[in-house]
Amino acid sequence: MREAAIVSQPNPLQRIPGVAIVLVLLIALFGAIAPGFLSVANLSNVLVQSTILTMLALPMTLIIMTEGLDLSMGAVLTLTSLCVAIVSLATKSMLLGLGAGLLVGTAFGFANGWLVAIVGIPPFVATLGTLGMAQGLSLIVSDGQSVVGIPHSVRDIYSATLLGVPMPIVMALVTYAAFHGLLYHTRFGTYIFALGGNREALRYAGLSPNKLLIAVYAIGGAMAGIAGLLMTARMNSGHPTAGLGLEFDAIAAVAVGGTSFERGNGWLLGTLLGVLSVGVLRNGLNLISLPSSVQVASVGVLVIVALFLDGLRSRA
């Protein structure tokens, strides 16, 4: 199969102005009205706090490029964070805790892919069901209480540095590099574009769109498992509601970044800028002491505006 025959990538330059302008306007706005927003310490804080969202938004980009959606990602993140906390507390091993979170996250991702690709349930419904399952399991394994007393090896990850750069930022950069290489420099990345743009071409080439779709969702689950380690280290505990709602921010970041919900049109750098836009928005609203309910509504407005612009672009 000639890969060029199944790839349909729009000119990325067409998306740069929109998401970049949104980010610049947000920085200018909060720089003017929020004291301390432009300080080096606060901007570094924005980057560190955006790392977990980056780990969710990048795989969410791949899923949306397949014309799918994963509403369970925040709940699975919560469950994997609890798994990291419980297993590392029991074994005193950070690696075993990470392994448990990775295993549980991948299992949920595989289940999502199986329900969508094999059973034929719409992604919204399938992942809404697994969202409920993950939430329920989180309450069961934690008995509704925070898991505290996790080992230093887990807690220190969030505060450690590498050559002066906070470890969460290093992990986010490595994650971006890995996804960039996967999407733009591998055959699997080419197939992801085709899953949303031209599945028939995959079938004619003798490939199984269903298996590829399951793999994409499994990657999303695995990333929720890795992000669970950072979430546990950040909170210094495992909490049964820690990651709820983050799937909303992840979808918002992908939409703001210019990835279309159809035709396999996606852009990872746009998603990264979208993550920073959401991070700047939440940080700025925190600094001016707006309640969390207003913050959620503000991100919602950001999503609606992004989808509206996406609709205009598709009709252009």
Side-chain angles (χ1 to χ4, degrees):
M1 177 183 64
R2 293 178 63 83
E3 293 177 358
I6 61 174
V7 176
S8 176
Q9 301 183 41
N11 181 4
L13 293 176
Q14 293 176 346
R15 293 183 179 131
I16 288 178
V19 64
I21 290 174
V22 167
L23 182 57
V24 169
L25 288 177
L26 287 173
I27 292 174
L29 173 65
F30 290 118
I33 66 174
F37 174 80
L38 293 178
S39 67
V40 174
N42 184 63
L43 293 179
S44 176
N45 185 44
V46 171
L47 293 177
V48 171
Q49 290 190 344
S50 297
T51 53
I52 293 175
L53 182 57
T54 300
M55 291 186 173
L56 299 184
L58 291 174
M60 185 70 83
T61 303
L62 305 190
I63 292 172
I64 289 177
M65 286 175 63
T66 68
E67 299 183 341
L69 196 65
D70 188 353
L71 296 179
S72 70
M73 200 170 272
V76 172
L77 169 66
T78 300
L79 181 59
T80 60
S81 174
L82 284 167
C83 289
V84 170
I86 293 170
V87 173
S88 62
L89 181 61
T91 64
K92 307 301 180 187
S93 169
M94 180 270 287
L95 289 178
L96 287 179
L98 173 61
L102 197 58
L103 181 64
V104 170
T106 304
F108 266 89
F110 183 89
N112 283 332
W114 182 77
L115 290 170
V116 172
I118 305 300
V119 182
I121 300 176
F124 178 87
V125 179
T127 58
L128 186 63
T130 51
L131 179 154
M133 293 172 59
Q135 278 186 343
L137 287 172
S138 294
L139 292 173
I140 291 172
V141 300
S142 67
D143 199 23
Q145 304 296 319
S146 296
V147 178
V148 298
I150 60 174
H152 284 285
S153 56
V154 175
R155 299 201 302 262
D156 292 347
I157 289 177
Y158 205 74
S159 57
T161 61
L162 179 64
L163 301 176
V165 180
M167 187 56 71
I169 295 179
V170 173
M171 293 176 67
L173 291 175
V174 170
T175 300
Y176 179 81
F179 272 80
H180 182 91
L182 176 70
L183 186 60
Y184 299 117
H185 300 290
T186 68
R187 286 182 179 273
F188 184 72
T190 303
Y191 301 152
I192 291 174
F193 281 102
L195 278 172
N198 192 356
R199 293 192 187 188
E200 287 303 313
L202 292 172
R203 294 191 178 92
Y204 290 143
L207 298 170
S208 170
N210 289 343
K211 290 181 180 177
L212 294 169
L213 202 56
I214 292 173
V216 172
Y217 277 91
I219 289 172
M223 288 308 303
I226 297 174
L229 174 65
L230 268 186
M231 176 65 78
T232 305
R234 174 180 172 178
M235 300 189 66
N236 199 16
S237 65
H239 193 278
T241 62
L244 297 185
L246 270 179
E247 73 281 353
F248 180 64
D249 284 4
I251 295 169
V254 175
V256 171
T259 292
S260 171
F261 282 71
E262 54 185 10
R263 301 186 305 278
N265 293 336
W267 188 40
L268 288 179
L269 182 57
T271 295
L272 192 59
L273 294 174
V275 167
L276 293 176
S277 297
V278 174
V280 166
L281 178 63
R282 285 194 174 273
N283 178 267
L285 294 177
N286 267 328
L287 289 180
I288 58 177
S289 303
L290 284 183
S292 58
S293 56
V294 176
Q295 296 181 27
V296 173
S298 300
V299 176
V301 170
L302 204 61
V303 172
I304 292 173
V305 170
L307 292 178
F308 175 71
L309 294 176
D310 185 59
L312 290 180
R313 187 168 53 239
S314 65
R315 291 194 292 271

